[in-house]
Amino acid sequence: MSSSTELEGKRSVLGVLVNVTNYGEATEQIIDAARDHRHYAVTALAVHGVMTGVQDPAHNARLNSFDLVTPDGQPVRWALNTVHHAELADRVYGPTLTLKVVERAAAEGLPIYLYGSTDPTLERLVPALQEMFPALKIAGVEASKFRSSQPGEPEAIAERIKASGARIVLVGLGCPRQEVFAYAMRPLLDMPLLAVGAAFDYHAGLLKNPPAWMQKYALEWLWRLGLEPKRLWKRYVLLNPAYLTRLAAQKTGLWKATPPAPATEPVQTFAV
């Protein structure tokens, strides 16, 4: 791994570069980028997010180009601690990070833009966030089209976001679509794009968080599997053992898990 990557606080988890960070540091970096009008792509990766990179080298390279990748799941935090001796006391969970960023945005008068999910979800999410943070400025709300982008559409989306006055974009398209969206849109927007996973559904009250003890012991996957078995069984039943097997190989040195170079080429079409 290059010295520049080490200085950025990133370490390889199965070849996907994840930041050694905590809620305070991650929130500060995002807010700094918003204040400074900087391109900034952020995602929080659990096991499923890491495995999307393992299974798709091109996507892995895109993930490795992100400015900030937080350890969303406890198994990803454990990987950083056991393989790289990171000594992280907690994960940086996407829905929680979302609230911390939104809280700071409200306090500093930085308007946010909500992109993705469905109109009914957004109709519940907006008042929920405003109730939590009365000073929050929501510059714009735009549901997913549930299709691939058309020629000129990324630029049109970027113009709508910029015209709204937003300084932070929260993207809720699901993994890995939201990461591809953030990667593709980053050159077009001088502000942070946060791929926030299921945060929209959680904070809109459509999903319930598991008990704290399940989160602590990395059993959140079991909770979500119970809530959405038909949609999620392949993700957890197949990917979790594959993750642990590869992690053991990386830990013992049987597999180098060399990260691919960060991607630079544009994505021609992506989910919007």
Side-chain angles (χ1 to χ4, degrees):
M1 191 180 301
S2 70
S3 59
S4 62
T5 297
E6 290 172 354
L7 289 172
E8 292 170 4
K10 290 185 176 181
R11 301 292 184 269
S12 171
V13 176
L14 280 57
V16 176
L17 296 177
V18 182
N19 287 77
V20 177
T21 191
N22 56 39
Y23 286 114
E25 291 177 354
T27 301
E28 195 63 40
Q29 289 169 3
I30 293 164
I31 295 299
D32 282 347
R35 287 197 208 103
D36 297 342
H37 295 255
R38 279 190 280 118
H39 310 287
Y40 205 76
V42 181
T43 188
L45 295 185
V47 167
H48 175 234
V50 170
M51 291 302 293
T52 60
V54 172
Q55 296 175 329
D56 182 350
H59 187 60
N60 195 344
R62 287 192 291 268
L63 292 174
N64 288 353
S65 78
F66 270 54
D67 301 281
L68 179 63
V69 177
T70 73
D72 176 275
Q74 295 290 5
V76 181
R77 179 182 70 90
W78 294 345
L80 292 172
N81 286 349
T82 58
V83 177
H84 302 291
H85 311 290
E87 299 183 356
L88 288 175
D90 196 5
R91 62 176 176 166
V92 181
Y93 180 47
T96 302
L97 179 63
T98 298
L99 290 186
K100 291 182 179 296
V101 169
V102 171
E103 181 180 27
R104 283 287 301 280
E108 299 198 20
L110 297 168
I112 68 169
Y113 197 98
L114 305 173
Y115 188 96
S117 194
T118 64
D119 284 318
T121 298
L122 293 172
E123 287 168 5
R124 296 184 60 163
L125 177 62
V126 169
L129 291 177
Q130 290 175 327
E131 182 177 355
M132 284 187 278
F133 311 108
L136 178 65
K137 298 177 181 178
I138 299 179
V141 175
E142 189 167 345
S144 171
K145 286 75 176 167
F146 296 98
R147 57 166 171 75
S148 295
S149 59
Q150 299 172 352
E153 191 167 19
E155 292 78 8
I157 293 171
E159 286 305 315
R160 286 198 294 274
I161 293 173
K162 288 188 288 188
S164 76
R167 296 305 324 137
I168 298 171
V169 185
L170 304 181
V171 184
L173 293 173
C175 177
R177 295 181 298 275
Q178 61 193 8
E179 283 79 18
V180 180
F181 181 93
Y183 171 85
M185 296 296 293
R186 177 175 51 183
L188 304 177
L189 292 167
D190 59 346
M191 65 191 75
L193 291 116
L194 281 65
V196 298
F200 284 13
D201 288 334
Y202 279 118
H203 300 318
L206 299 174
L207 286 177
K208 293 183 179 180
N209 275 308
W213 68 267
M214 293 190 81
Q215 297 185 50
K216 180 179 179 180
Y217 293 107
L219 294 174
E220 185 174 356
W221 67 271
L222 188 59
W223 173 269
R224 291 201 64 191
L225 181 61
L227 293 176
E228 301 179 89
K230 290 184 179 180
R231 187 174 77 86
L232 297 178
W233 76 268
K234 286 185 179 180
R235 174 188 300 187
Y236 296 125
V237 174
L238 300 180
L239 291 187
N240 283 6
Y243 174 86
L244 293 173
T245 300
R246 287 179 178 268
L247 182 59
Q250 182 181 0
K251 171 66 176 175
T252 58
L254 294 176
W255 178 45
K256 297 300 182 184
T258 303
T264 57
E265 66 276 8
V267 179
Q268 297 304 318
T269 184
F270 54 95
V272 296

